Amino acid sequence: MLDEEYFSKVFVRFAKYISENKEYLTELDSAIGDGDHGINMDKGCKNALEKIENLKLATPSEFFRTISMAILSSVGGASGPLYGTIFMKISATLSGKTNVTIEDLEEALQNALNAIKVLGKAEVGDKTMIDVWEPVVNKFKESLVNKNSLSEDLIKTAKESMERTIPLVARRGRASYLGERSANHQDPGATSSYLFFKALFEDLEVKD
């Protein structure tokens, strides 16, 4: 079972990874975007950390709703709505649950994926965060069916999916304006998504 304490550790870890990679994310975004992904995500995570510190006896749903609102209120560009939607969909899926099962988490991630695909009008191959999210969520679902302990494999899937965005030509977002020139650059949203899944799955035991 996963509780608010577990998810708090996950988000603190995610915020740490974002902070450590702030300049790298900004460098990636400078090549094909607005050049502010690292700065914005770091600002949003720091704001969310301040908000969750004040939560008392929060349920996982309340925890993720607080993060969502903090991200939405402090992250500009496309990242704010996308990550805000991710955390809000997770919150909605976990509503009423004090302890979250692995199956609940998989459902929450699937709902988040569905929502950001609609919001960003993107599919796998468009050179966006979806290129990481969909393979990872599919791998997670597969791991539950097979009752495998695949934490390392899930993180590996996220990393390899992130790297596969390098040769792609962007078809969505600001990077799409560059056309063929967007190739040979790793997508910044896919990179921050990898950091999210790395934080989420590091201590997760998938099998019963």
Side-chain angles (χ1 to χ4, degrees), residues 131-156:
D131 287 295
V132 169
W133 269 81
E134 188 157 296
V136 171
V137 170
N138 288 342
K139 187 73 171 181
F140 191 18
K141 187 175 299 184
E142 175 190 313
S143 72
L144 295 183
V145 171
N146 297 326
K147 300 297 182 183
N148 292 330
S149 179
L150 291 179
S151 294
E152 290 185 7
D153 283 351
L154 289 166
I155 294 172
K156 181 181 178 183

Side-chain angles (χ1 to χ4, degrees), residues 26 124 130 140 145 163 169 184 186 189 197:
T26 296
V124 169
I130 302 301
F140 191 18
V145 171
E163 293 169 346
V169 173
N184 301 315
Q186 187 167 290
F197 286 119

Side-chain angles (χ1 to χ4, degrees), residues 11-12 14-16 18-19 22 25 36-53 63-77 79-81 83-84 87 192:
F11 189 78
V12 168
F14 176 53
K16 176 176 177 287
I18 289 293
S19 180
K22 177 175 66 173
L25 290 169
D36 57 3
H37 187 61
I39 295 169
N40 281 341
M41 288 300 298
D42 185 53
K43 178 182 177 182
C45 286
K46 283 183 167 61
N47 186 36
L49 287 174
E50 290 179 4
K51 300 298 184 184
I52 62 177
E53 280 181 4
F63 175 79
F64 281 111
R65 184 169 62 250
T66 299
I67 291 174
S68 174
M69 298 306 294
I71 295 287
L72 285 168
S73 68
S74 58
V75 179
S79 301
Y83 274 98
F87 292 121
S192 60

Side-chain angles (χ1 to χ4, degrees), residues 116-124 126 128-130 134 172:
I116 59 175
K117 286 179 72 173
V118 172
L119 181 63
K121 298 180 176 61
E123 299 288 343
V124 169
D126 287 343
T128 71
M129 66 197 307
I130 302 301
E134 188 157 296
R172 289 290 182 269

